[in-house]
């Protein structure tokens, strides 16, 4: 029987998902497992790598079993992942030497300040496309090497391996046979030279990171190897790897230069395809690798927003003023405005376009009549305002005339948010039929490598729009609201 499905493993910040797609790009089966968020100190965030592996493999097996399929129905596996999150493990035991330091973690902010003071910012910008920030993997790797007893010595002996979550999962899936990553993930480490497409020797030296720990960098779409037979009962090829935001760009079919998508998950990540051009942002965006496919690399500019859906989770888990993230839609719509309140969710500093590692969250404009609905509404509006900050930067850099934004991610299901977003941007928002575009993107990358899909042209036939939002706000109101946001952002800066 022919192999009818591609299995995408989507290892996100808050959950591990496994999704089976058919040739039309339809979801056949989905399994999702949440895992523990570990906050050892204010501003620090960790995950347990073993728990990530456990939830991911369980989700994969469940997705196959719940629709009565067997591994022989699967043509190949694609892996997409939360990016930058850093794992170091011992290659002899296969066990991690410390928790994964998550992309949001701010513990290396001071180290980044030292890197800036040493005058390395321009070199880093020029060669890695990135802005010096605790967000990226490099300083997280250095922190583990310098702070966990014995790890540096073991690394120097050649016993320690580094990987982002993609590498960790491939290592586990292949029973320790492959230590690889792809171009998209490598471009988020602050150690990879996006021009020469090699690990940057100068930065490795400056940061005192041994090159022996680094994975081999491969394309985002090619057959890398097979899963260990023990795992699924038979081997399945692995043929796609991409960081989740680049994967969503692919899944939203933004194949042409100038096409833009925004993913509303834990954070918000807006990427614009810039083709074979390395565009250097003048407005606080970063340059990243979009994908490596057919022996060619394409680039993107990106605006990374650290807290979007995370702020809604905070309303649910810490303030406990909503039961479920989706309730925020209902409560925000019960009031006409925020009653003058702005919430800046700089829980882990501010990313693009401000890049302030020391900013912290604030709620301003409180008066006696403010109630919980206003706070909930201000939280959702903050996601839209942050997106506007990034779009304005993108328009400034590329002179595009953005009329339509393709949106996806968990919070894109919030109709209030999408309408407010359309209003504040004065642009149309389109939500595709398959909103799991992150998983879909890497399924396409994996499927192209094994001829499950013959070409991008065949994939484009699968595209369909589910919902559309059109701007309805007056320009005067838009300007007034946004001016208030800019003022609030100023108050949140340089706090910690
Ligand atoms: N209806 C909703 N309204 C607002 N936020 C939502 C809604 N549904 C989910 N979210 C938020 O979206 C995030 C989950 O989206 P997802 O794309 O799965 O993120 P990730 O890949 O970062 O784990 C959570 O932070 C959650 O609070
Ligand atoms: O897992 P997500 O969807 O929150 O994405 C996280 C990003 O990859 C961080 O750069």
């Amino acid at each position: 029987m022919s192999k009818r499905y591609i299995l995408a493993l989507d290892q996100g910040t808050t959950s591990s998902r496994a999704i089976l797609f058919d040739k039309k790009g339809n979801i056949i089966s989905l399994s999702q497992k949440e895992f523990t968020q570990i906050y050892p100190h204010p501003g620090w965030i960790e995950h347990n790598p073993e728990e990530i592996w456990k939830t991911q493999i369980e989700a994969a097996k469940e997705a196959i079993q719940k629709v009565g399929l067997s591994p022989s129905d699967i043509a190949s596996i694609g892996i997409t992942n939360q990016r930058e999150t850093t794992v170091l493990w011992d290659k002899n035991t296969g066990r991690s030497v410390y928790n994964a330091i998550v992309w949001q973690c701010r513990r290396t902010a001071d180290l980044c300040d030292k890197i800036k003071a040493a005058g390395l910012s321009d070199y880093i910008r020029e060669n890695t496309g990135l802005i010096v920030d605790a967000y990226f993997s490099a300083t997280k790797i250095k922190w583990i090497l310098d702070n966990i007893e014995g790890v540096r010595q073991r690394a120097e002996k050649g016993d320690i391996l580094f990987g982002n979550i993609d590498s960790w999962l491939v290592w586990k899936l292949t029973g320790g046979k492959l230590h690889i990553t792809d171009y998209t993930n490598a471009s988020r480490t602050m150690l990879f030279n996006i021009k020469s497409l090699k690990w940057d020797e100068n930065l490795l030296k400056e940061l005192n990171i041994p090159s022996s720990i680094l994975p081999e960098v491969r394309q985002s779409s090619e057959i890398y190897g097979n899963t260990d037979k023990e795992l699924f009962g038979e081997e399945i090829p692995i043929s796609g790897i991409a960081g989740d935001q680049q994967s969503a760009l692919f899944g939203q079919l933004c194949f042409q230069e100038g096409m833009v998508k925004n993913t509303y998950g834990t954070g918000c990540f807006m990427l614009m395809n810039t083709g074979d051009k390395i565009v250097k942002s003048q407005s606080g965006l970063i340059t990243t690798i979009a994908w490596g496919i057919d022996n060619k690399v394409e680039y993107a500019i990106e605006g990374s927003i650290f807290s979007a859906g995370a702020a809604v989770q905070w309303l649910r888990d810490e303030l406990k003023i909503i039961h479920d993230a989706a309730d925020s839609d209902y409560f925000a719509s019960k009031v006409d405005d925020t009653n003058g309140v702005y919430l800046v969710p700089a829980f882990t500093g501010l990313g693009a376009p401000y890049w302030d590692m020391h900013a912290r969250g604030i709620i301003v404009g409180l008066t006696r009549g403010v109630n919980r609905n206003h706070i909930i509404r201000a939280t959702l509006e903050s996601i839209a305002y942050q997106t506007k900050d990034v779009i304005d930067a993108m328009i400034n850099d590329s002179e595009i005339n953005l009329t339509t934004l393709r949106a996806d991610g968990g919070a894109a299901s919030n109709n209030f948010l999408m309408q407010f977003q359309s209003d504040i941007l004065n642009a149309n928002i389109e939500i595709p039929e398959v909103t799991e575009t992150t998983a879909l993107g890497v399924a396409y990358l994996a499927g192209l490598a094994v001829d499950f899909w013959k070409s991008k042209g065949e994939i484009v036939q699968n595209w369909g729009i589910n919902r559309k939002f059109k701007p309805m706000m007056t320009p005067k109101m838009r300007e007034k609201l946004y001016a208030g946001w800019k003022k609030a952002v100023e108050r949140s800066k340089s706090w910690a």
Side-chain angles (χ1 to χ4, degrees):
M1 194 165 60
S2 71
K3 295 181 184 287
R4 290 169 298 160
Y5 307 103
I6 300 283
L7 176 63
L9 306 183
D10 177 4
Q11 207 303 300
T13 311
T14 56
S15 72
S16 301
R17 274 194 288 241
I19 305 184
L20 279 169
F21 290 100
D22 68 8
K23 266 225 162 86
K24 295 261 168 236
N26 294 318
I27 294 175
I28 298 304
S29 175
L30 184 155
S31 171
Q32 176 167 10
K33 313 251 168 216
E34 290 204 3
F35 54 85
T36 320
Q37 304 292 317
I38 304 165
Y39 305 109
H41 298 288
W44 290 31
I45 308 189
E46 297 177 358
H47 294 155
N48 178 342
E50 309 300 336
E51 194 185 354
I52 284 192
W53 165 240
K54 189 167 176 285
T55 50
Q56 189 61 75
I57 192 68
E58 280 175 7
K61 288 182 179 171
E62 196 176 277
I64 299 170
Q65 281 159 7
K66 77 188 202 188
V67 284
L69 293 175
S70 83
S72 57
D73 296 311
I74 295 164
S76 78
I77 293 179
I79 298 167
T80 183
N81 56 293
Q82 52 166 323
R83 307 165 304 168
E84 300 94 16
T85 298
T86 295
V87 188
L88 265 66
W89 68 94
D90 188 313
K91 71 177 184 194
N92 307 304
T93 63
R95 293 201 70 81
S96 51
V97 299
Y98 187 72
N99 273 340
I101 302 186
V102 178
W103 58 275
Q104 298 155 305
C105 188
R106 303 284 92 190
R107 83 185 61 193
T108 55
D110 290 346
L111 178 55
C112 289
D113 287 339
K114 284 190 192 132
I115 293 173
K116 287 185 198 163
L120 281 169
S121 301
D122 287 348
Y123 181 88
I124 288 175
R125 186 100 183 96
E126 197 56 40
N127 295 287
T128 69
L130 306 178
I131 286 166
V132 178
D133 195 273
Y135 175 31
F136 305 107
S137 314
T139 58
K140 302 181 197 288
I141 301 174
K142 187 169 167 53
W143 190 93
I144 297 177
L145 289 171
D146 290 344
N147 289 280
I148 305 305
E149 211 188 320
V151 174
R152 182 171 287 285
Q153 290 83 328
R154 284 156 71 194
E156 271 154 14
K157 265 177 50 201
D159 287 340
I160 300 293
L161 301 179
F162 149 75
N164 293 123
I165 298 297
D166 60 316
S167 307
W168 172 242
L169 292 179
V170 173
W171 172 266
K172 290 290 209 185
L173 283 166
T174 59
K177 283 204 188 76
L178 284 179
H179 181 220
I180 58 170
T181 187
D182 86 306
Y183 286 121
T184 66
N185 278 292
S187 74
R188 317 295 298 187
T189 56
M190 214 171 86
L191 294 172
F192 192 68
N193 193 308
I194 60 169
K195 299 183 197 160
S196 68
L197 301 180
K198 294 201 163 49
W199 295 112
D200 191 292
E201 298 292 340
N202 295 328
L203 287 172
L204 290 171
K205 213 158 123 203
E206 285 289 346
L207 295 173
N208 194 14
I209 294 176
S211 61
S212 60
I213 70 171
L214 300 171
E216 184 193 343
V217 186
R218 306 279 291 266
Q219 299 196 69
S220 316
S221 176
E222 62 169 296
I223 302 172
Y224 315 104
N226 292 322
T227 56
D228 190 308
K229 196 164 174 230
E230 298 286 297
L231 284 174
F232 296 102
E234 62 184 89
E235 294 182 346
I236 306 175
I238 306 171
S239 60
I241 304 178
D244 56 10
Q245 303 309 323
Q246 286 90 336
S247 187
L249 190 69
F250 204 84
Q252 287 270 26
L253 310 187
C254 294
F255 298 151
Q256 261 96 48
E257 227 178 290
M259 292 181 81
V260 185
K261 73 88 201 178
N262 196 26
T263 300
Y264 297 79
T266 304
C268 244
F269 301 89
M270 192 186 299
L271 272 77
M272 180 198 278
N273 183 331
T274 62
D276 56 8
K277 292 187 208 61
I278 298 184
V279 174
K280 200 170 148 195
S281 172
Q282 306 300 324
S283 325
L285 305 180
I286 56 177
T287 312
T288 200
I289 295 182
W291 39 73
I293 183 169
D294 297 334
N295 299 312
K296 221 177 82 200
V297 153
E298 293 193 303
Y299 296 89
I301 44 173
E302 170 175 328
S304 328
I305 296 165
F306 296 153
S307 294
V312 180
Q313 257 173 346
W314 176 72
L315 298 179
R316 186 193 66 182
D317 299 340
E318 264 68 41
L319 293 196
K320 299 189 194 306
I321 56 175
I322 51 173
H323 214 70
D324 196 86
D327 295 345
S328 59
D329 199 338
Y330 170 77
F331 289 115
S333 308
K334 276 177 72 161
V335 283
D336 294 333
D337 53 36
T338 66
N339 206 350
V341 171
Y342 287 89
L343 182 145
V344 184
F347 299 115
T348 55
L350 287 169
Y354 307 105
W355 298 102
D356 184 339
M357 292 179 286
H358 305 289
R360 287 297 177 267
I362 56 162
I363 302 177
V364 286
L366 292 173
T367 49
R368 190 58 187 78
V370 170
N371 63 34
R372 108 179 152 153
N373 295 343
H374 297 121
I375 305 278
I376 294 168
R377 185 172 171 126
T379 305
L380 291 178
E381 289 189 358
S382 77
I383 301 174
Y385 289 131
Q386 292 185 97
T387 296
K388 176 158 169 66
D389 291 340
V390 167
I391 286 223
D392 285 355
M394 218 167 247
I395 291 171
N396 204 33
D397 280 340
S398 60
E399 292 167 9
I400 52 153
N401 178 18
L402 188 101
T403 52
T404 303
L405 179 67
R406 293 186 171 184
D408 55 60
S413 62
N414 189 305
N415 288 325
F416 167 80
L417 171 60
M418 290 298 106
Q419 183 56 53
F420 188 78
Q421 184 70 87
S422 173
D423 287 340
I424 225 61
L425 291 181
N426 195 25
N428 298 320
I429 310 281
E430 282 179 4
I431 319 259
E433 269 165 11
V434 178
T435 49
E436 296 286 351
T437 49
T438 299
L440 183 60
V442 88
Y444 283 150
L445 287 163
L448 284 166
V450 293
D451 274 347
F452 186 80
W453 289 286
K454 301 277 178 271
S455 65
K456 285 187 197 160
E458 190 184 338
I459 285 171
V460 171
Q461 309 297 320
N462 291 345
W463 176 256
I465 295 168
N466 175 259
R467 283 177 302 148
K468 231 178 167 165
F469 296 85
K470 291 186 171 33
M472 295 192 306
M473 189 179 272
T474 63
K476 204 166 155 212
M477 178 59 85
R478 182 177 305 123
E479 272 163 37
K480 181 173 165 244
L481 289 175
Y482 189 58
W485 164 255
K486 288 299 235 188
K487 219 164 118 187
V489 167
E490 286 310 309
R491 305 275 159 107
S492 76
K493 287 182 178 171
S494 305
W495 183 266

